[in-house]
Amino acid sequence: MRKVTTLVIATGLIAVGGIHAARDGGAAAKPQVIYPQENASAILAARKKEQLKTAEQFKVFYEFQFEDKLAQSGITFENHIVDDAGKNYQKAHYDHGNGIAVADVDGDGLYDIYFLSQTGGNELWKNLGGGRFKNITAEAGVGVPGRISVAASFADIDNDGDPDLFVTTVRGGNLLFENDGHGHFRDITKEAGVGGVAHSSGAVFFDYDRDGLLDLLVCNVGKYTSDQKGAEGQYLALPDAFSGHMFPERFEFPTLYKNMGHNHFKDVTSAAGLKPVGWSGDATFTDLKGDGWPQVYFLNMMGANHFYENHDGKFSEQTKQYFPRTSWGAMGVKFFDYDNDGRLDLFVTDMHSDMWTEEGPADEKKKAPTPPAEDFLMGPANSFVFGNSLYHNLGGDKFAEVSDQMGVENYWPWGPSIGDLNADGWDDIFIASSMNFPFRYGINSVLLNNRGQKFLDSEFLLGVEPRKGGETHKPWFDLNCSTLPANAERYLTEPCKGQKGTITVMSSLGTRAAVIFDLDNDGDLDIVTNEFNAVPQILVSNLSEKQRIHWLKVKLTGTHSNRDGLGATVRVTCGGKTFMKFNDGKSGYLSQSSLPLYFGLGDATKVEQVEVDWPSGKKQVITKNLVANSVLPITEPK
């Protein structure tokens, strides 16, 4: 680690790195100390200047902006963390934060947002239209107070036409809520049989056995806490949690629940053949063979990832056949067709490789330096990618890892959210990134797809960075420098150098999860984030104001297949081109949403054909009543 120092913001009105410390009573005011010291404003200004120089490389439209309209939205949610991720910082897994999920919970055609938090409960915000939202948590019954929530997934488990909700927690028991169709939820966890208690993380709904009912896959990380509880009631992190993956007795394997109908589920993990070794924070599913049988990709945040093929509802691991080298510290995952060749590619973000040493901004596009010993890696170094991975699907079950040549490496990434941000027909990437206390400020990355040839860094061009008002830090905790023990951690003693009494430690802002969807129904895609220990960003695009755009939203309704159409492949043909998307609901890190598929059409003004390959095996072709700039509902033929 590089040497870290501190920066003091005294009383008065001073702006440093976007932080404003107002005088609040002279001598009574607590000094605010940025830790570690950095002139974030100057660094970001220099980065923006350099990114602007790259504009001539863009073959695609980039002259539009995102603006954080949190104040206008009416959303007052704030993410709160446990002390082991803040003042009592432990290099454990509490600092992985929380997901964010979106669905139309009350059937009014507007998409509502569910924010998760470690403490203080979760919140559901109803979309009122026009970019405004209302807190309906209490009436909806999904606040989950008193538990440390992690991930959320919306899906229609009973095929009644409304999204139900599953929430994972850290040792508090997972929860399943049934929606009554009007945005009111009933806790059915006990009767459903899905209330597992573990260090649970991501959860994925998919129909693994193709019986028309959505099954549930829950990822469990591993034992990173002790049985001792802190003041907030949370289990305290183990001091060696970051090396916990080296102890097989701490593994917590994922659980696959088969949907038996009538809101009852059965644990079929062993019978189905799923038992990946490792600390799995999240997973996803795909259908690379196009036969309707979903395959599963498990992330391992400390070691090798695992890919399972599905043969009539029985899984077998085939990782080496498809992906001989996998990202070692994997956090986020998404299958999508980045080059529009009709084949699904795979993008994996790697967070933990960036934790070996802290690099400066100039090195953020490079892979991680020399890795630790192989006993820590849990395998030979040559079997891993130490950074993000992008696997180009070559066909015939062959993939080429092309992350560096495609420009998708970044620093401290959590998870990718995929969407066509400029509506040109090429899917772009938003990567929720950064580490917060006790690390420097890290940027969120926006990678615009330059027609499948390369992804170009665009966060400064598009106004995602710097954040609104230039903010980079916020108050993290108060610290009494006069009472620190002699053996206090460095990140507590260094802010106190030259200080007496109580100070406020200022730490960097940072995002954990994000979802891309059209929140204001103006035809372009917006971005909503869930920050770590802070308020969200409501990043609203002005693309539709900058130029005339063409798009199509496809909303699937299964009949033989599950009602959400999860597992379906949709192809849209227009202007002599065909765009393909796989309906997995994967909306970002630790999240699964219930949203229509969004297709940017580029310059095409007319949609010629839409094809759907349903999980049931049915194939549907639509050539009539196809109108651009509209929502196209498609119901599976009976």
Side-chain angles (χ1 to χ4, degrees):
M1 285 288 201
R2 64 178 175 83
K3 185 179 184 294
V4 286
T5 52
T6 57
L7 179 64
V8 178
I9 305 174
T11 58
L13 183 60
I14 304 175
V16 180
I19 295 298
H20 301 277
R23 186 183 303 276
D24 61 358
K30 295 187 290 288
Q32 294 182 327
V33 179
I34 290 180
Y35 180 83
Q37 177 183 346
E38 59 174 331
N39 190 343
S41 292
I43 294 171
L44 293 177
R47 296 185 71 163
K48 181 176 182 179
K49 183 178 180 180
E50 289 302 308
Q51 194 168 104
L52 288 171
K53 293 179 182 178
T54 69
E56 63 183 22
Q57 301 177 28
F58 286 74
K59 299 178 181 179
V60 296
F61 186 71
Y62 64 88
E63 295 176 302
F64 64 104
Q65 295 280 299
F66 290 91
E67 180 184 353
D68 187 354
K69 294 191 175 183
L70 176 64
Q72 298 92 319
S73 74
I75 294 173
T76 58
F77 168 79
E78 184 169 359
N79 179 282
H80 295 287
I81 60 175
V82 298
D83 280 347
D84 275 359
K87 184 176 182 178
N88 302 328
Y89 176 75
Q90 295 286 324
K91 191 179 285 188
H93 298 79
Y94 280 128
D95 63 5
H96 291 186
N98 309 90
I100 176 175
V102 170
D104 177 8
V105 301
D106 53 6
D108 64 357
L110 299 172
Y111 289 87
D112 314 299
I113 310 174
Y114 187 64
F115 295 97
L116 292 95
S117 181
Q118 291 185 349
T119 65
N122 308 327
E123 292 182 8
L124 178 61
W125 285 80
K126 175 179 169 57
N127 192 334
L128 302 175
R132 295 281 301 171
F133 291 82
K134 175 186 175 183
N135 189 345
I136 60 168
T137 310
E139 60 192 84
V142 291
V144 195
R147 306 195 200 196
I148 300 172
S149 295
V150 181
S153 293
F154 279 113
D156 188 352
I157 65 168
D158 46 11
N159 289 335
D160 64 353
D162 53 56
D164 307 298
L165 174 65
F166 185 76
V167 178
T168 66
T169 76
V170 178
R171 298 182 68 174
N174 301 326
L175 294 153
L176 180 61
F177 296 95
E178 181 187 20
N179 189 346
D180 69 354
H182 303 286
H184 306 114
F185 292 81
R186 180 174 68 95
D187 185 344
I188 61 169
T189 309
K190 186 175 181 180
E191 63 189 83
V194 293
V197 178
H199 298 76
S200 296
S201 191
V204 180
F205 284 102
F206 72 120
D207 184 5
Y208 88 93
D209 54 359
R210 300 176 67 194
D211 65 354
L213 296 171
L214 287 176
D215 311 298
L216 173 63
L217 176 65
V218 180
C219 295
N220 299 309
V221 175
K223 297 177 182 178
Y224 58 82
T225 64
S226 69
D227 290 333
Q228 183 181 356
K229 289 190 175 183
E232 298 169 303
Q234 85 280 8
Y235 291 97
L236 298 180
L238 290 167
D240 63 348
F242 197 65
S243 58
H245 64 286
M246 300 173 67
F247 304 94
E249 66 271 16
R250 299 188 192 177
F251 287 173
E252 293 178 335
F253 293 99
T255 304
L256 177 62
Y257 296 100
K258 174 177 169 56
N259 190 335
M260 308 300 292
H262 307 290
N263 292 340
H264 293 287
F265 290 77
K266 178 182 178 182
D267 184 346
V268 295
T269 315
S270 297
L274 286 178
K275 199 174 183 180
V277 174
W279 286 42
S280 181
D282 211 346
T284 193
F285 72 101
T286 187
D287 183 8
L288 297 180
K289 295 185 178 297
D291 60 2
W293 291 100
Q295 302 143 323
V296 177
Y297 192 98
F298 285 97
L299 299 179
N300 181 1
M301 61 181 67
M302 315 288 273
N305 302 330
H306 302 275
F307 183 69
Y308 281 79
E309 282 198 339
N310 185 348
H311 306 279
D312 300 329
K314 302 289 185 180
F315 291 92
S316 64
E317 182 166 4
Q318 302 293 332
T319 312
K320 294 300 182 183
Q321 175 185 338
Y322 290 85
F323 311 106
R325 297 170 64 237
T326 66
S327 287
W328 180 83
M331 287 293 168
V333 60
K334 177 71 176 181
F335 281 95
F336 74 110
D337 183 9
Y338 79 81
D339 58 350
N340 288 340
D341 65 355
R343 295 187 292 261
L344 288 171
D345 311 297
L346 173 63
F347 183 46
V348 178
T349 53
D350 178 341
M351 168 66 196
H352 276 154
S353 290
D354 289 334
M355 295 301 294
W356 299 333
T357 182
E358 188 171 348
E359 303 295 328
D363 295 321
E364 291 186 1
K365 297 294 288 186
K366 299 178 182 178
K367 289 289 189 286
T370 305
E374 289 188 355
D375 60 341
F376 184 82
L377 295 177
M378 303 297 286
N382 62 8
S383 65
F384 299 113
V385 176
F386 298 107
N388 298 344
S389 299
L390 179 61
Y391 300 95
H392 182 210
N393 191 336
L394 305 176
D397 299 339
K398 300 296 181 183
F399 287 80
E401 204 288 294
V402 296
S403 58
D404 286 340
Q405 70 189 64
M406 291 302 298
V408 298
E409 189 59 62
N410 79 320
Y411 201 55
W412 288 333
W414 294 101
S417 299
I418 307 299
D420 188 354
L421 298 177
N422 53 5
D424 64 351
W426 302 89
D427 273 337
D428 311 299
I429 306 173
F430 176 93
I431 308 178
S433 310
S434 80
M435 261 305 293
N436 306 94
F437 181 82
F439 301 91
R440 66 172 174 86
Y441 179 77
I443 65 168
N444 287 320
S445 292
V446 181
L447 305 175
L448 274 189
N449 190 336
N450 206 24
R451 298 181 181 174
Q453 299 174 16
K454 191 172 184 178
F455 286 89
L456 300 177
D457 298 307
S458 311
E459 56 279 341
F460 292 96
L461 288 169
L462 301 184
V464 169
E465 293 285 352
R467 293 166 179 252
K468 189 171 186 178
E471 287 189 318
T472 55
H473 293 72
K474 65 159 286 186
W476 213 248
F477 54 85
D478 286 346
L479 182 64
N480 189 336
C481 294
S482 301
T483 60
L484 282 182
N487 62 346
E489 295 285 351
R490 183 180 67 175
Y491 54 76
L492 297 178
T493 59
E494 292 197 354
C496 281
K497 288 180 178 178
Q499 301 292 321
K500 293 182 179 179
T502 301
I503 64 172
T504 297
V505 176
M506 310 293 290
S507 182
S508 55
L509 294 166
T511 306
R512 287 299 181 273
V515 59
I516 295 177
F517 72 110
D518 184 3
L519 72 85
D520 52 4
N521 273 340
D522 65 353
D524 56 36
L525 292 176
D526 311 296
I527 303 169
V528 178
T529 72
N530 196 356
E531 304 293 306
F532 193 64
N533 203 36
V535 298
Q537 294 184 84
I538 310 298
L539 300 171
V540 178
S541 171
N542 67 358
L543 174 68
S544 61
E545 300 169 18
K546 289 292 185 177
Q547 70 169 13
R548 185 178 180 183
I549 60 174
H550 312 288
W551 49 271
L552 183 71
K553 299 175 187 176
V554 176
K555 188 177 187 305
L556 300 175
T557 300
T559 54
H560 294 277
S561 304
N562 65 86
R563 181 72 178 252
D564 285 332
L566 287 173
T569 298
V570 179
R571 300 175 187 86
V572 172
T573 300
C574 60
K577 300 176 182 178
T578 298
F579 307 118
M580 182 264 284
K581 295 187 189 298
F582 180 72
N583 186 29
D584 59 3
K586 197 68 181 170
S587 55
Y589 180 58
L590 299 175
S591 309
Q592 188 176 33
S593 295
S594 182
L595 291 165
L597 295 173
Y598 179 93
F599 291 83
L601 305 180
D603 295 330
T605 59
K606 182 180 178 181
V607 179
E608 298 153 14
Q609 180 174 285
V610 176
E611 302 173 65
V612 183
D613 293 345
W614 293 94
S616 65
K618 290 182 176 292
K619 298 185 182 297
Q620 189 173 3
V621 179
I622 302 169
T623 58
K624 296 181 179 180
N625 300 318
L626 300 177
V627 180
N629 293 14
S630 68
V631 179
L632 175 65
I634 301 179
T635 299
E636 182 181 15
K638 294 183 179 180

